[in-house]
Amino acid sequence: MTVLQRHTRSTHRVPMGCVRLAACSVALLALTLVAGCNPEAEGSGSQATAAARPVADAAPKAADSATARPTTERPSPARTTPAAAPKATSPSKKPVASGLVAVVGVTDGDTIKVRLAGKTERVRVIGIDTPELRSHDCYAQQAASRMQSIVQSKQVKLVADPTQDDRDRYGRLLRHVRLADGRSVAELLIAGGFGREYTYDVAYVGQAAHLKAQAAAKSAHRGIWSSGCLAAVSPAPAPKAAAPSAPAAAPKSCLIKGNIASDGEKIYHVPGGAFYDVTKISESKGERWFCTESEALNAGWRPSKR
């Protein structure tokens, strides 16, 4: 070996301690970067790793801290479910009481028209007879006008009467007519003097109240009971109705009363009948006495139902 070779080899020789120191530095760097390094490693490398771990562990916490920023927003109030509002009733329509029907017309003081089951029905009011418009009877127009003011375009209740027929000979319904508050239309008219109490063949429900109302109207000279109407309907002077024109013996044998109702129907009553005593015969109206039932039937009268 030459001197030059010896010098070169000695110049580039690295002491072993330095080599080891460099290796340790590399190892320390590797352990710092690798999260799964073994804390039990020898030498200063393990100590450096242990010292660096808190820094590494703190990094996620710092990140979490940076992410979870405190908020200044107020917490949203808890949602509450509002109570269900009651169903609103249509303001355009008022509840209609059960059984009421609409009045769509007034014929006269004792007959009206109602809307029933989708069609128009004529109703003859039970227990009252008012002056006739067709014959221009005294107080007829006032009676019709009064009926209009009470029931026209209003709701009324129709009440059937078991003592009366369902319909009359003209096809009209026979009903008591009551206002929504329960008052009887017939009784109101009779009390005002717009009509008479009227019993057709058989007493009806409420007859006593109608008779009482009529007595009050007569005492007060209201309407048809006023002097003007009474003078207009009073017939010319004639013999007393109780004294028939037949011989004296005739009334004893001819005791059947031939009555004519306000609607023109002819009904005869025999002694002992339910309405015989209260039926009055007015010969000026065409009513008459009969001696036998056959005579009454042949003349066009029908027997009373009671």
Side-chain angles (χ1 to χ4, degrees):
M1 176 179 302
T2 64
V3 178
L4 179 60
Q5 290 176 334
R6 262 194 239 114
H7 175 74
T8 305
R9 184 172 295 176
S10 62
T11 303
H12 292 83
R13 184 177 298 170
V14 179
M16 267 323 270
C18 294
V19 172
R20 288 183 178 179
L21 180 59
C24 288
S25 298
V26 173
L28 177 60
L29 180 60
L31 291 174
T32 302
L33 297 174
V34 179
C37 62
N38 185 1
E40 301 298 330
E42 295 182 357
S44 60
S46 63
Q47 294 175 359
T49 304
R53 184 177 301 163
V55 177
D57 292 343
K61 293 182 180 179
D64 293 342
S65 176
T67 303
R69 295 179 180 176
T71 178
T72 59
E73 296 179 0
R74 295 182 181 177
S76 300
R79 292 184 179 179
T80 57
T81 302
K87 294 182 178 179
T89 304
S90 174
S92 61
K93 293 183 179 180
K94 295 182 179 180
V96 178
S98 176
L100 296 180
V101 297
V103 177
V104 296
V106 171
T107 303
D108 53 28
D110 53 38
T111 304
I112 63 175
K113 295 178 181 179
V114 301
R115 194 67 179 169
L116 189 62
K119 64 179 182 178
T120 300
E121 286 275 10
R122 293 183 303 156
V123 178
R124 175 64 166 84
V125 184
I126 295 173
I128 185 174
D129 182 36
T130 61
E132 295 292 332
L133 280 171
R134 290 175 296 180
S135 56
H136 305 288
D137 291 350
C138 182
Y139 233 65
Q141 186 59 58
Q142 289 89 331
S145 297
R146 178 57 176 159
M147 176 65 89
Q148 284 182 324
S149 68
I150 294 175
V151 303
Q152 182 67 51
S153 302
K154 296 179 182 179
Q155 301 282 337
V156 298
K157 185 174 184 179
L158 305 182
V159 182
D161 192 324
T163 68
Q164 307 297 307
D165 292 335
D166 184 59
R167 294 180 183 270
D168 65 7
R169 59 186 296 187
Y170 303 106
R172 298 176 297 185
L173 286 173
L174 295 174
R175 294 290 187 271
H176 293 289
V177 178
R178 297 189 177 277
L179 300 178
D181 60 10
R183 290 180 296 166
S184 166
V185 170
E187 188 174 340
L188 288 173
L189 289 168
I190 293 172
F194 297 97
R196 295 175 173 81
E197 183 279 329
Y198 174 64
T199 299
Y200 176 77
D201 195 25
V202 179
Y204 53 88
V205 176
Q207 182 192 53
H210 288 193
L211 289 171
K212 183 178 179 180
Q214 177 171 279
K218 290 178 70 174
S219 298
H221 305 289
R222 300 188 192 113
I224 61 174
W225 308 110
S226 64
S227 58
C229 278
L230 290 176
V233 298
S234 297
K240 295 181 180 180
S245 57
K252 295 182 179 179
S253 58
C254 301
L255 301 179
I256 298 175
K257 296 179 178 180
N259 183 49
I260 300 177
S262 62
D263 59 3
E265 188 170 12
K266 298 177 179 180
I267 306 168
Y268 70 82
H269 302 266
V270 298
F275 301 102
Y276 182 83
D277 293 336
V278 297
T279 300
K280 306 298 181 183
I281 299 301
S282 176
E283 295 181 350
S284 62
K285 294 182 179 180
E287 297 174 336
R288 53 183 290 192
W289 298 84
F290 295 103
C291 298
T292 64
E293 291 191 60
S294 298
E295 181 184 357
L297 290 171
N298 292 334
W301 267 256
R302 71 163 179 84
S304 171
K305 294 180 180 179
R306 289 190 181 183

